[in-house]
């Protein structure tokens, strides 16, 4: 129709865009985490600059999608992190795993109690912990178990493979322990892990699998684990409208069937049977390495399909950002812009053409 053609002309031929919701210096950061707790998006840690001499941030900031307000929730209490991961326990505790603390990579665990506005350090039950983790992934399997995938290493040494750890958490005693799994993946940092339903050849779901991609100069995915349905407590955010829009977008034949290759520090969010990947830094180019491409991984078929939707909007290039799903909307939060140096103060939501 004329309306769609007019919109496509305005959007430079793409059928999607990131629409600014609010602008705040509090959200201008990169390599932070963003999680939904009690209906708000909580940003923790990260960096204001790519200067390695600057310590990471330690504050917690809340974005309320209902009021579109961004406000500080807790100041820095000594837990400073970037390149870390965080999961939510009991819709109350923000549990932070590993990262860079300003002087070294750590593998320890701490948590922020949203109701008490207090931080607490956890105790390791055994001495068998990873040397240090940064730019790793942390996937919540149950309220007591996380799967950690990442390149492990100290300040100078890096392994050629990525270890897979099950991280056991005991919230009541604030204790944790790691168990290294026998399987490993290719060495990766700044990658993504997608927990998706595992569909067999007849289209029946047999359970879940964790796919790991990116963080290295390859388009290959690794399978980091399989679980039957009863083993996991997967609480997927209902997003029927966005799922329908993504289904329509991959059906438009506007996207090329192309997987992301050599991408790191991008964002990845699972929406129903899809994984939505945006931005990041490509390892294939030395200059102009920051991307603004949208990739959609469609797990409805076996084998699954990748779709690539490039963007012509230079201002929306991002690296070290996060995407977060809440109430049928996918939000883009923070990250460094096209020059790789300036943190972005906008929080945007994904808009897909009807």
């Amino acid at each position: 129709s004329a309306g769609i053609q007019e919109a496509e002309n305005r959007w430079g031929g793409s059928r999607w865009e990131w629409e600014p919701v609010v602008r705040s210096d509090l959200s201008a950061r990169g390599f932070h985490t963003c999680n939904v707790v009690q209906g708000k998006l909580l940003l923790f840690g990260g960096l204001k600059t790519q200067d390695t001499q600057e310590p990471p941030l330690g504050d917690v900031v809340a974005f309320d999608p209902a009021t579109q307000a961004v406000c500080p929730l807790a100041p820095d209490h000594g837990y400073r992190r970037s390149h870390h991961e965080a999961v939510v326990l009991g819709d109350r505790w923000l549990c932070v795993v590993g990262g860079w603390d300003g002087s070294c990579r750590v593998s320890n665990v701490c948590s922020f109690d949203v109701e008490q506005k207090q931080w607490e350090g956890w105790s390791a039950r055994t001495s068998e912990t990873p040397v240090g983790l940064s730019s790793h992934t942390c996937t919540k399997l149950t309220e007591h178990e996380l799967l950690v995938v990442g390149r492990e290493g100290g300040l100078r040494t890096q392994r050629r493979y990525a270890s897979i750890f099950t991280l056991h958490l005991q919230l009541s005693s604030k204790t944790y322990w790691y168990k290294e799994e026998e399987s490993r993946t290719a060495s990766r940092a700044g990658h993504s892990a997608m927990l998706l339903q595992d569909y067999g050849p007849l289209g029946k779901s047999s359970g879940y699998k964790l796919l790991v991609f990116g963080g290295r100069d390859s388009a290959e995915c690794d399978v980091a684990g399989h679980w039957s349905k009863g083993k996991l407590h997967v609480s997927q955010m209902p997003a029927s409208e966005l799922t329908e829009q993504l289904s329509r977008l991959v059906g438009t034949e506007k996207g090329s069937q192309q997987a992301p290759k050599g991408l790191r520090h991008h964002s990845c969010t699972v929406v129903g049977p899809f994984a939505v990947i945006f931005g990041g830094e490509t390892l294939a180019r030395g200059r102009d390495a920051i991307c603004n491409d949208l990739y959609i991984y469609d797990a409805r078929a076996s084998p699954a399909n990748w779709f690539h939707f490039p963007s012509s909007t230079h201002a929306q290039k991002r690296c070290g950002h996060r995407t977060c799903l809440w109430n049928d909307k996918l939000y883009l939060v923070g990250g460094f812009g096209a020059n790789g140096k300036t943190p972005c103060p906008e929080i945007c939501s994904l808009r897909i053409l009807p």
Side-chain angles (χ1 to χ4, degrees), residues 112-125:
F112 177 70
D113 183 338
V114 173
E115 290 176 12
Q116 302 286 336
K117 310 261 192 308
Q118 284 179 342
W119 280 98
E120 199 165 354
W122 290 35
S123 305
R125 279 200 183 179

Side-chain angles (χ1 to χ4, degrees), residues 56 80-83 98-106 133-134 155:
R80 289 171 171 254
R81 294 286 186 276
S82 72
H83 301 79
W100 174 255
D101 71 357
S103 58
C104 64
R105 294 187 185 97
V106 297
L133 296 164
S134 67
L155 274 174

Side-chain angles (χ1 to χ4, degrees), residues 27-32 318-322 333-337 342-345:
S27 58
R29 59 185 71 203
F31 301 103
H32 53 296
R318 289 287 189 282
C319 172
H321 54 288
R322 291 281 172 155
V333 183
F336 291 95
T342 310
C344 301

Side-chain angles (χ1 to χ4, degrees), residues 70-231:
V70 180
C71 60
L73 192 64
D76 174 14
H77 279 297
Y79 294 96
R80 289 171 171 254
R81 294 286 186 276
S82 72
H83 301 79
H84 54 289
E85 270 297 332
V87 297
V88 178
L89 303 177
D91 198 29
R92 174 174 169 177
W93 289 273
L94 187 70
C95 183
V96 177
V97 178
W100 174 255
D101 71 357
S103 58
C104 64
R105 294 187 185 97
V106 297
S107 58
N108 56 18
V109 175
C110 56
S111 64
F112 177 70
D113 183 338
V114 173
E115 290 176 12
Q116 302 286 336
K117 310 261 192 308
Q118 284 179 342
W119 280 98
E120 199 165 354
W122 290 35
S123 305
R125 279 200 183 179
T126 67
S127 57
E128 292 174 38
T129 59
V131 181
L133 296 164
S134 67
S135 298
H136 51 293
T137 54
C138 218
T139 306
K140 183 176 165 182
L141 305 177
T142 70
E143 290 286 324
H144 309 286
E145 288 178 316
L146 314 178
L147 200 77
V148 179
V149 181
R151 191 171 59 178
E152 184 196 353
L155 274 174
R156 292 181 182 83
T157 57
Q158 295 287 355
R159 291 187 175 175
R160 291 188 177 180
Y161 56 84
S163 299
I164 300 176
F165 296 94
T166 300
L167 174 55
H168 297 269
L169 303 172
Q170 187 143 33
L171 182 62
S172 57
S173 61
K174 301 288 193 299
T175 55
Y176 66 93
W177 66 101
Y178 285 91
K179 177 181 177 287
E180 187 166 356
E181 300 298 330
E182 287 178 10
S183 56
R184 292 170 174 169
T185 75
S187 178
R188 299 172 187 270
H191 55 284
S192 286
M194 314 182 280
L195 187 63
L196 291 158
Q197 287 208 40
D198 198 359
Y199 293 102
L202 299 173
K204 278 196 164 184
S205 169
S206 56
Y208 291 89
K209 64 181 173 188
L210 189 71
L211 285 179
V212 182
F213 80 93
R216 61 192 290 258
D217 197 7
S218 164
E220 293 295 308
C221 284
D222 282 334
V223 179
H226 287 276
W227 297 270
S228 61
K229 279 183 174 171
K231 289 278 186 193

